[in-house]
Amino acid sequence: MKKKICSNEKIFIAGARGMAGSAICRSLVQNSYGESKKGGLILTPSRDELNLLSIDAVKKWFEINRPSIVILAAAKVGGIHANAKMPGDFILENLKIQTNIIESAWEFKVKRLLFLGSSCIYPKLAQQPIKEEYLLKGPLEATNEPYAIAKIAGIKLCQALRKQYNFDAISLMPTNLFGPGDNYDLNNSHVMAALLRKFIEAKKYSYSSVTCWGTGDALREFLYVDDLGDAVVHALERWDPRDKEAPIDNNGEKLDYLNVGTGKDISIKNLAKEIAALCDYKGKIEWDLSKPDGTPKKQLDISKIKEIGWEPKVNLQEGLRRTINSFQKTSKIKGI
């Protein structure tokens, strides 16, 4: 099958400094994109260079730089605590970022756009494993509803522009990500990063116990971020929803957004034990039952993205080893 993108593309990665964006950059480089001798270029403007919250700034940047491919990995993200404290920021900033970039990409006739959503778009009590067509089939998890609604709006904007103007916009819905470059702030991080930091610190300082949020019974799926980077490049190269062989949902409709994950989940309690063992921490693990668990189970059905030839390569234990090693080498947290 002929590739949908070429080596001489000007590829704009919005959010290139983040964990997901950095992994996408690595995968693009590994696949020979951005090589100047081939006419390629990877554009990774910083926040100081491009304010994604300003439509005027974004349109001016597009006019000057004229990217041919856009990857939208920029977002305001955080865990349960951050979402509960700043719901207005989460919905407003994400809506602005998405709309500004998607509208500008369409207006300036970008060849392909890939939007990164999130598995939190699906209903809290969705049937498991979660298929793409379960979107909007039930209430969302309350603790991250504003973020989820913004992501759903991004998907729908891509769908609407494709339907009305034939704009080639596709979307991927990654499960919980982890890996190098994650946010380890205990007040704003996701569960994986928070657990990693807690157990690494506990081992270093010989803490007698580590306290984790909730009951530990909630089930979560985790994807090593470099696998997401590979999925993004694979989808850009190989997936066109208009192709005869492209994935369809159970209603026979063409899909323009696909789940990305491992298809396997683990309880937070067992995850904590796994991390403790990898950190060689032998203290007690306690659970703060006053804190929420969030969605009881969230496991993606990844059969559709497998149809286009992608599947994850890094298992959970190997991903954890790599992430712990990266954290210990690069952490700026005092004493770690």
Side-chain angles (χ1 to χ4, degrees):
M1 181 174 62
K2 184 179 179 181
K3 285 187 179 181
K4 307 298 180 184
I5 60 174
C6 307
S7 58
N8 64 349
E9 307 286 1
K10 292 179 69 176
I11 303 174
F12 168 38
I13 305 173
R17 303 300 200 276
M19 176 174 62
S22 297
I24 294 166
C25 284
R26 290 193 292 272
S27 186
L28 285 168
V29 171
Q30 288 166 7
N31 285 276
S32 300
Y33 292 100
E35 293 185 6
S36 57
K37 63 183 179 182
K38 296 180 180 179
L41 184 63
I42 298 176
L43 301 164
T44 59
S46 67
R47 290 184 181 182
D48 291 337
E49 294 168 328
L50 176 58
N51 178 11
L52 298 178
L53 297 173
S54 166
I55 185 62
D56 291 336
V58 172
K59 286 192 174 184
K60 182 178 179 181
W61 187 91
F62 267 80
E63 186 174 15
I64 294 170
N65 292 279
R66 299 283 175 166
S68 57
I69 304 294
V70 171
I71 302 169
L72 178 39
K76 182 176 180 62
V77 298
I80 290 176
H81 178 78
N83 275 269
K85 292 291 185 182
M86 300 176 287
D89 291 350
F90 273 89
I91 190 167
L92 186 59
E93 290 189 25
N94 282 305
L95 284 173
K96 284 184 178 181
I97 291 168
Q98 295 164 189
T99 304
N100 291 347
I101 294 172
I102 296 170
E103 180 184 350
S104 298
W106 163 66
E107 182 179 320
F108 287 92
K109 304 186 186 309
V110 162
K111 179 179 174 181
R112 300 208 85 188
L113 178 140
L114 187 145
F115 170 64
L116 276 188
S118 167
S119 61
C120 72
I121 63 168
Y122 294 113
K124 176 178 181 177
L125 301 178
Q127 183 179 337
Q128 305 286 323
I130 304 170
K131 298 179 183 293
E132 285 85 354
E133 54 262 40
Y134 295 168
L135 178 63
L136 298 178
K137 300 301 183 184
L140 299 165
E141 162 58 43
T143 56
N144 63 3
E145 185 180 77
Y147 177 77
I149 288 173
K151 287 296 184 180
I152 292 169
I155 298 167
K156 292 300 179 181
L157 178 54
C158 288
Q159 288 180 331
L161 291 174
R162 172 180 286 277
K163 183 177 182 179
Q164 185 174 351
Y165 298 105
N166 202 30
F167 178 53
D168 190 5
I170 55 177
S171 303
L172 295 180
M173 301 301 113
T175 189
N176 301 286
L177 301 172
F178 73 102
D182 206 346
N183 169 25
Y184 293 95
D185 185 306
L186 293 179
N187 291 320
N188 299 311
S189 62
H190 288 104
V191 60
M192 178 68 87
L195 289 175
L196 285 166
R197 177 176 170 179
K198 284 182 177 183
F199 283 104
I200 291 170
E201 287 184 336
K203 171 63 178 177
K204 182 174 180 64
Y205 298 116
S206 302
Y207 294 157
S208 61
S209 67
V210 170
T211 301
C212 305
W213 278 29
T215 64
D217 294 332
L219 295 161
R220 290 292 181 273
E221 177 181 4
F222 296 96
L223 179 71
Y224 188 64
V225 72
D226 282 351
D227 274 340
L228 173 67
D230 290 343
V232 167
V233 175
H234 187 92
L236 283 170
E237 290 182 339
R238 304 293 179 183
W239 174 41
D240 187 337
R242 298 166 296 186
D243 287 348
K244 289 183 179 180
E245 303 82 10
I248 58 175
D249 65 20
N250 285 350
N251 301 315
E253 299 292 331
K254 293 287 188 182
L255 287 164
D256 49 28
Y257 63 97
L258 299 177
N259 292 336
V260 186
T262 64
K264 302 174 183 178
D265 60 12
I266 184 173
S267 73
I268 300 302
K269 190 170 290 183
N270 285 336
L271 175 63
K273 291 177 182 177
E274 184 81 21
I275 294 172
L278 289 170
C279 292
D280 193 32
Y281 176 73
K282 303 185 186 304
K284 187 176 180 182
I285 302 175
E286 299 179 334
W287 296 91
D288 183 352
L289 303 184
S290 70
K291 298 296 192 296
D293 279 337
T295 302
K297 179 178 173 71
K298 192 166 63 171
Q299 177 187 354
L300 295 181
D301 182 322
I302 60 169
S303 60
K304 299 304 181 184
I305 195 167
K306 284 185 175 182
E307 288 181 20
I308 67 168
W310 177 88
E311 56 184 301
K313 298 175 183 176
V314 182
N315 65 36
L316 180 62
Q317 190 171 68
E318 176 59 25
L320 286 172
R321 286 197 189 97
R322 294 184 191 181
T323 306
I324 291 168
N325 184 56
S326 173
F327 178 90
Q328 291 174 327
K329 283 184 177 180
T330 63
S331 176
K332 296 179 181 178
I333 299 170
K334 185 177 180 181
I336 299 298

